[in-house]
Amino acid sequence: MPAGYRRQLYRDDAVVLRVQKLGESDRIVTLLTRRHGRLRAVARGVRRTSSRFGARLEPFGHIDLQLAGSPEGLGSALHSVSQVEAVTLYGKSFLTDYPRYTAASAICETAERLTPVEREPALRLFQLTLGALKALSAGEHSGSLVLDAYLLRAMAFAGWAPAITECAVCGTAGQHAAFSVPAGGSVCPDCRPPGSAHPSPDTLGLMSALSCGDWAVADSSAPSVRRECSGLVAAHLQWHMERALRSLPLVDRRELNL
């Protein structure tokens, strides 16, 4: 620890992305904060039944908390949680709803993977993640649609947004018939590489609707269109991440058959 360094107290609000057991009664909590990006903090004694705020530090919750540590990254990488207030514990709304729970898990894992550098502010991703969890909690749209909308917008945040209304290679405008993940999305006949997929026009229309928040179009889409869209979105995301998301294969999409 640098000479003269003292752990300071500061506040922020955050989304709880993940929790891990530490010792017999503690937890390490992974947080995506509004002002300080992703960070990890130790919550002492929260697994004891007498803990004052253990229930507030569960995944998918929006919390306001006080942390002990350095926002600038001095000293230990692990902060300490000293106070927690619940803003909205979204997870309570879908803990028994497996499709929405697995969608929320994939959202939080994506948020963590897209913030590889701790304490690097990511306000847009924080707002996007918070909005997706709020939408899952409200239950107004299919959990699978909310997840795919989140993934498309998160890829735009990372600079990986798939081309939908123009050719990914030459930029020719239009809704093209072929889609190539390695090429970056839709491709025109002149740029189409071997092995390109040929999604239906409705699938590309759904991807465009999810990207811009046109829920009237998204909610009216057919189950087969949603399945094809989900496959393309997942393939595009994992191609750019260069590693599969652990939670994505667990997402229950049976609701698409309703």
Side-chain angles (χ1 to χ4, degrees):
M1 182 177 296
Y5 169 72
R6 295 180 60 188
R7 291 169 70 83
Q8 64 188 90
L9 296 177
Y10 67 98
R11 299 196 71 88
D12 205 341
D13 66 311
V15 173
V16 180
L17 301 181
R18 181 162 60 97
V19 297
Q20 301 165 265
K21 293 180 181 179
L22 178 66
E24 295 184 357
S25 60
D26 305 337
R27 278 181 179 165
I28 296 176
V29 186
T30 301
L31 305 162
L32 181 59
T33 68
R34 183 182 297 273
R35 291 180 290 276
H36 301 96
R38 181 182 61 82
L39 54 84
R40 295 179 304 145
V42 176
R44 306 285 182 190
V46 294
R47 290 163 55 202
R48 298 192 187 108
T49 55
S50 59
S51 172
R52 291 179 294 118
F53 50 74
R56 303 169 198 168
L57 288 172
E58 294 293 336
F60 320 135
H62 180 203
I63 58 175
D64 179 87
L65 73 168
Q66 182 173 269
L67 294 161
S70 169
E72 295 78 24
L74 300 175
S76 172
L78 282 176
H79 296 213
S80 295
V81 177
S82 60
Q83 187 179 36
V84 181
E85 297 294 337
V87 179
T88 309
L89 301 180
Y90 293 114
K92 289 185 175 181
S93 301
F94 50 76
L95 285 179
T96 59
D97 185 323
Y98 189 72
R100 286 194 290 161
Y101 181 88
T102 53
S105 298
I107 285 168
C108 287
E109 184 182 356
T110 301
E112 184 174 358
R113 293 279 295 279
L114 291 181
T115 49
V117 180
E118 291 194 3
R119 303 185 184 91
E120 184 173 271
L123 177 60
R124 183 179 168 194
L125 186 63
F126 169 82
Q127 293 172 328
L128 183 63
T129 305
L130 189 60
L133 294 174
K134 182 178 180 180
L136 286 176
S137 176
E140 296 176 356
H141 310 291
S142 156
S144 188
L145 287 178
V146 172
L147 171 60
D148 288 338
Y150 174 83
L151 296 179
L152 284 165
R153 297 178 198 185
M155 285 190 281
F157 162 81
W160 306 332
I164 301 172
T165 58
E166 70 282 329
C167 176
V169 178
C170 68
T172 300
Q175 185 170 290
H176 303 292
F179 191 98
S180 171
V181 169
S186 297
V187 284
C188 68
D190 293 335
C191 300
R192 181 183 62 206
S196 298
H198 291 79
S200 73
D202 287 344
T203 297
L204 295 177
L206 176 57
M207 292 178 70
S208 180
L210 292 174
S211 297
C212 67
D214 188 343
W215 287 103
V217 171
D219 290 336
S220 64
S221 58
S224 60
V225 171
R226 297 186 190 185
R227 283 192 293 269
E228 188 172 42
C229 173
S230 294
L232 291 178
V233 171
H236 195 86
L237 174 72
Q238 295 185 121
W239 170 271
H240 285 282
M241 281 191 168
E242 300 180 347
R243 189 175 55 162
L245 289 175
R246 295 186 302 273
S247 55
L248 202 54
L250 302 177
V251 175
D252 189 336
R253 301 187 185 275
R254 289 176 298 176
E255 61 184 348
L256 298 184
N257 298 320
L258 298 178

